[in-house]
Amino acid sequence: MRRVAGRVARGACMAARSKIVDQQEVLRWFDEGRKYKWMVEQYRERGIETTEGMWSEFRNRHGLQRRNVQDDSLIPWRVQMRHRLEYPAVMLRLEARRRHGGKIRREDLGRLTSWLKRLDEAKVVIAYDPDTERGFAEVPREPGDVDIVRAPSGEAARQKRAGHRKGEEV
């Protein structure tokens, strides 16, 4: 390692000391589906400051499965950031996780099951319009609807394939 004026030279590699106290414990937390925020708080109680980004990086380094499954068939739109926490968006991500075999908490599975049943009984699907306040809306099912969402057509479909714009979810 090169030193320049008493400091490590730019570009020199120096392994950072890990803040992880018990790697097996942390792996168990991920297996249990613990949230990054919860992990930050657990370590804060031990007097160790961490960030959600640190836990995300740990997940990546250890090849652990992502929590969010990207499923373009269930979220075929470019969703604006202001709409990404709307209830239909949350439910669509849960359904994607369920379809891909991901773990879902019992209470979330109950909410998802009730929501899917209601959509089916009401004969509606989810549509998305970024120009409305809430973005998502339930619309009557049409013969061309093959899943629980109304697939975008025309310009909206082209925008999804072309990439994201400012203010949109990646």
Side-chain angles (χ1 to χ4, degrees), residues 34-162:
R34 300 291 184 173
K35 305 282 186 199
Y36 296 145
K37 193 173 197 174
W38 183 88
M39 295 177 189
V40 168
E41 186 55 39
Q42 294 302 304
Y43 267 60
R44 183 173 291 131
E45 289 174 5
R46 299 174 185 183
I48 302 170
E49 288 299 318
T50 63
T51 64
E52 292 182 26
M54 186 199 91
W55 297 110
S56 175
E57 182 59 30
F58 179 92
R59 173 187 293 281
N60 291 337
R61 267 188 280 125
H62 289 82
L64 302 175
Q65 186 178 16
R66 291 181 53 186
R67 290 187 179 153
N68 292 333
V69 174
Q70 185 173 340
D71 188 333
D72 286 346
S73 68
L74 286 174
I75 304 180
W77 320 277
R78 281 285 173 194
V79 177
Q80 291 188 4
M81 291 299 287
R82 66 188 176 118
H83 296 139
R84 70 184 180 97
L85 295 178
E86 291 291 333
Y87 193 75
V90 172
M91 291 295 102
L92 290 169
R93 285 192 298 271
L94 277 174
E95 175 62 2
R97 188 180 308 161
R98 185 189 68 79
R99 289 183 185 184
H100 289 271
K103 291 185 179 184
I104 301 177
R105 296 180 308 172
R106 184 180 11 235
E107 55 270 20
D108 288 338
L109 184 57
R111 287 181 15 218
L112 176 62
T113 302
S114 295
W115 184 73
L116 291 170
K117 182 179 177 187
R118 190 177 56 70
L119 291 178
D120 185 54
E121 290 173 350
K123 296 180 180 14
V124 296
V125 295
I126 301 299
Y128 179 70
D129 181 351
D131 297 326
T132 61
E133 183 179 335
R134 299 202 56 193
F136 294 92
E138 294 178 4
V139 297
R141 179 177 288 281
E142 294 178 352
D145 294 326
V146 294
D147 205 339
I148 58 175
V149 298
R150 171 82 37 86
S153 60
E155 184 60 27
R158 281 190 293 282
Q159 287 176 357
K160 174 68 175 184
R161 289 190 301 270

